[in-house]
DNA sequence: ATGAAAGCGCTAACAC
DNA sequence: GTGTTAGCGCTTTCAT
């Protein structure tokens, strides 16, 4: 059942059918009715490929993230998909993994699908920010508007929105030191732009508060509760009186370690997570965590891209403050 | 840059270029080299829409689930996407929500994209199993092979794989009663096929062990830790000595309630969750949970659909046993 | 307001 | 082994 069949059955030309499908104003109501009736009756759906060929668009946006099974990304994708769909855009999902090569490949692959826009979730896509590592973004932006959720790169066609991770981490560590904490563990699981910002905030806060920067207190580990716990356990004597982490999973791992070591929480150790996930209200005591404003970033992504696709212009870069959500693992 | 340009630059016909693109064996190595060189040089990518038009396929599979922000679905989607991509298929993601109408709409929408196969994640898509509620699946299956992850419907073209939810719930509740538990709370958050199976397993186990079926011990609530906790708190006197839930989030909610009520865990109350998620190892004590074999289901989905797309046939229905993973919230 | 016809870029049947 | 050509089903310009 194609446009010719409908045209024949409705006694009009294919051009008219096409116009009806696209709700063109230059077709008489009467004709529209007639054609629509036939379409309904025949259960006609325009062929998207042919449509795509003609319009050079299938109203699709590409969503690329390292791994949807991660809670932050899953929530992001859920939000994005819903909003884009609300605008009539379908979403192609590509989970790229974390390696530079596979990220580049993912972006190239998804571009071949002639998507109308591309959104990259998480700050892994800017690599170390070097020209070499962001070259693929530059190229991508030549084809479609690209939005970086929680990443920043100065490049035409690449739009960005950041969480102020440096600032919140700086403020948080300052608060910890002001509350008398001296040995603050920093847990992280990636070298992404945002993780780096968090680390910088941590380091600067230590320095500005006259605390030494102890290398053994910066621990890189897989983001899995049991792994973090075991990892810490294996380190023997590891004294600390506070923990900040780049994700809740890491913080909970530390919490589990602290429990095992009979440390009192929050008296002996303050623990602070990141992303304010369901894990934070799941553990005991509940975890103080940082709201990274994921939805605010995602919202901006959708809003900006939709404006761009309508031919409007858009402000280039914005950022949003994060918030500390206090729960039982802190006492300041 | 299209196939004509490449043909001209390489000094061959478009047919030859097309053959090279599709790696046809009936092109001489020499010609292939020549054409490939031009393609590389021009950075040529075949137009997917035109390709789709000709082949009536864009090598895409539709993945529909109620909500990717749910951990079970997120993990499923992550697995599916990865595997399908491994076979050269892209994935269109559609989050349908939980309402019948929106589920039907989602399936219809995604079918319009001329996907090559459709996978439905979670047992919400069979509704109550009535002909009326599964009609849309029948129609879908007329267009493409459909795979139901953890749902079952007898219908040509719809392939299914089930977790044995009834059995594991029956066994688990039996174990609880044998351990002397009398008032077992059943927490659920949906009326999906699988939730219903779990409920049946619970009810049958109670009956077979001579325990009364108390309506007030079957509680339907939103799957959010804090909500479950508040919900239970509001019920005043609610005596129970065990909890089984259709998802970990619900079980943790009950755990939080029990802690608040100063109940000892597992002495006073045994708690068992479902899906063995990260929440289970996050809470304290850690949650005994049921491994619903999500990956086994997803694996079968991919394997079956890929066989079908290669024109091979496939066994119709299979199921897989679930496993109880014991942790600190039980003592039997 | 409607129709005829020329693309859009590719695949595949057919001819050589 | 390679080229010619007719679709695939739609959009859109140009007539009328």
């Amino acid at each position: 059942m194609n446009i010719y069949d409908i045209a024949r059955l409705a006694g009009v030309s294919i051009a008219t059918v096409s116009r009806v499908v696209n709700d063109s104003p230059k077709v008489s109501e009467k004709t529209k009715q007639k054609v629509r009736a036939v379409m309904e009756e025949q259960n006609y759906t325009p062929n998207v490929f042919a449509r795509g060929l003609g319009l050079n668009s299938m109203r699709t946006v590409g969503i690329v993230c390292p791994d949807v099974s991660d809670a932050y990304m899953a929530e992001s994708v859920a939000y994005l998909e819903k909003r884009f769909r609300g605008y009539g855009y379908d979403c192609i999902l590509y989970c790229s993994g974390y390696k530079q090569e596979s990220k580049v490949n993912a972006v190239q692959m998804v571009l071949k699908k002639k998507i109308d826009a591309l959104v990259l979730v998480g700050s892994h896509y800017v690599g170390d920010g070097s020209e070499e590592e962001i070259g693929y973004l530059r190229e991508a932006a030549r084809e479609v508007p690209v939005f970086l959720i929680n990443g920043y790169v100065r490049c035409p066609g690449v739009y960005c929105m950041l969480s102020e991770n440096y600032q919140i981490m700086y403020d948080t560590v300052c608060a910890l030191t002001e509350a008398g904490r001296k040995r603050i563990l920093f847990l992280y699981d990636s070298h992404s732009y945002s993780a780096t910002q968090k680390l910088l905030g941590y380091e600067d806060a230590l320095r500005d508060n006259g605390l030494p920067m102890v290398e053994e207190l910066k621990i890189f580990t897989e983001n899995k509760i049991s792994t973090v716990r075991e990892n810490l356990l294996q380190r023997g004597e590891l004294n600390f009186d506070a923990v900040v982490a780049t994700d809740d999973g890491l913080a909970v791992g530390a919490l589990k370690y602290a429990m095992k070591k009979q440390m009192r929480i929050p008296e002996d150790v303050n623990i602070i997570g990141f992303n304010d996930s369901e894990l934070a209200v799941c553990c005991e005591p509940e975890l103080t965590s940082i709201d990274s404003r994921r939805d605010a970033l995602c919202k901006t992504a959708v809003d900006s891209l939709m404006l761009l696709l309508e031919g409007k212009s858009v402000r280039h870069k914005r950022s949003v403050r994060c918030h500390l959500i206090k729960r039982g693992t802190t006492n300041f």
Side-chain angles (χ1 to χ4, degrees), chain A residues 17-300:
Chain A
V17 176
S18 176
R19 290 187 187 106
V20 172
V21 166
N22 296 290
D23 204 25
S24 158
K26 34 194 345 190
V27 179
S28 72
E29 254 333 293
K30 200 173 157 189
T31 312
K32 274 191 185 174
Q33 306 270 293
K34 188 172 57 181
V35 175
R36 287 218 179 94
V38 176
M39 296 197 306
E40 290 269 303
E41 182 187 311
Q42 302 296 321
N43 217 313
Y44 166 72
T45 308
N47 181 302
V48 284
F49 300 145
R51 205 135 195 266
L53 227 204
L55 299 172
N56 200 31
S57 158
M58 254 177 67
R59 284 186 87 83
T60 301
V61 353
I63 299 179
V64 178
C65 71
D67 176 12
V68 242
S69 71
D70 173 274
Y72 181 93
M73 300 178 206
E75 302 257 9
S76 302
V77 171
Y79 181 95
L80 294 169
E81 196 272 347
K82 189 170 189 171
R83 291 285 319 278
F84 281 127
R85 186 162 307 285
Y87 286 103
Y89 284 81
D90 281 317
C91 296
I92 289 189
L93 178 67
Y94 199 133
C95 302
S96 70
Y98 293 92
K99 287 187 299 191
Q100 176 70 12
E101 186 190 331
S102 61
K103 285 181 290 180
V104 174
N105 184 249
V107 168
Q108 289 173 346
M109 292 286 285
V110 80
L111 283 176
K112 288 187 186 164
K113 292 297 172 175
K114 296 238 170 222
I115 52 178
D116 296 293
L118 174 61
V119 12
L120 270 15
V121 181
S123 59
H124 290 87
Y125 295 94
V126 296
D128 58 10
S130 69
E131 193 51 44
E132 187 185 343
E133 301 222 318
I134 65 160
Y136 75 110
L137 294 178
R138 244 179 238 296
E139 284 180 34
R142 271 204 286 274
E143 314 224 349
V144 294
V146 175
F147 198 104
L148 239 47
I149 289 186
N150 202 22
Y152 177 64
V153 61
R154 194 171 145 66
C155 168
V158 179
Y159 302 83
C160 307
M161 174 76 167
L162 288 164
S163 292
E164 291 175 1
N165 293 320
Y166 170 88
Q167 194 59 48
I168 189 70
M169 191 55 94
Y170 181 89
D171 294 345
T172 302
V173 173
C174 284
L176 246 14
T177 63
E178 278 156 24
R181 304 287 159 170
K182 304 284 184 202
R183 287 179 60 86
I184 305 173
L185 195 62
F186 182 86
L187 257 26
Y188 61 130
D189 67 336
S190 95
H191 298 101
S192 66
Y193 177 77
S194 88
T196 306
Q197 289 300 108
K198 292 169 190 170
L199 180 55
L200 279 177
Y202 163 81
E203 291 175 340
D204 286 357
L206 288 187
R207 196 197 53 229
D208 292 354
N209 287 276
L211 253 34
M213 215 188 41
V214 184
E215 278 307 314
E216 66 177 16
L217 288 180
K218 294 192 283 193
I219 297 181
F220 185 89
T221 179
E222 187 193 359
N223 188 355
K224 198 180 155 200
I225 294 170
S226 56
T227 308
V228 176
R229 182 169 139 274
E230 296 313 313
N231 189 325
L232 295 179
L233 244 15
Q234 280 170 14
R235 294 183 185 241
E237 278 322 295
L238 185 65
N239 288 313
F240 57 86
D241 53 17
V243 181
V244 289
T246 61
D247 188 69
D248 284 345
L250 299 165
V252 173
L255 173 64
K256 291 284 178 181
Y257 166 85
M259 307 267 303
K260 180 100 174 182
K261 286 286 193 178
Q262 314 268 2
M263 297 163 93
R264 287 172 306 157
I265 303 165
E267 295 80 0
D268 297 338
V269 56
N270 272 202
I271 305 177
I272 299 172
F274 219 107
N275 288 337
D276 194 32
S277 67
E278 191 78 347
L279 290 184
V281 296
C282 180
C283 60
E284 192 66 36
E286 292 186 10
L287 182 69
T288 290
S289 185
I290 290 163
D291 172 5
S292 55
R293 314 295 305 285
R294 189 195 56 241
D295 280 0
L297 303 197
C298 293
K299 180 180 190 314
T300 306

Side-chain angles (χ1 to χ4, degrees), chain A residues 306-317:
Chain A
M306 286 304 122
L307 282 175
L308 286 166
L309 291 178
E310 284 171 11
K312 303 185 180 138
S313 68
V314 139
R315 265 175 67 196
H316 201 275
K317 174 199 159 188

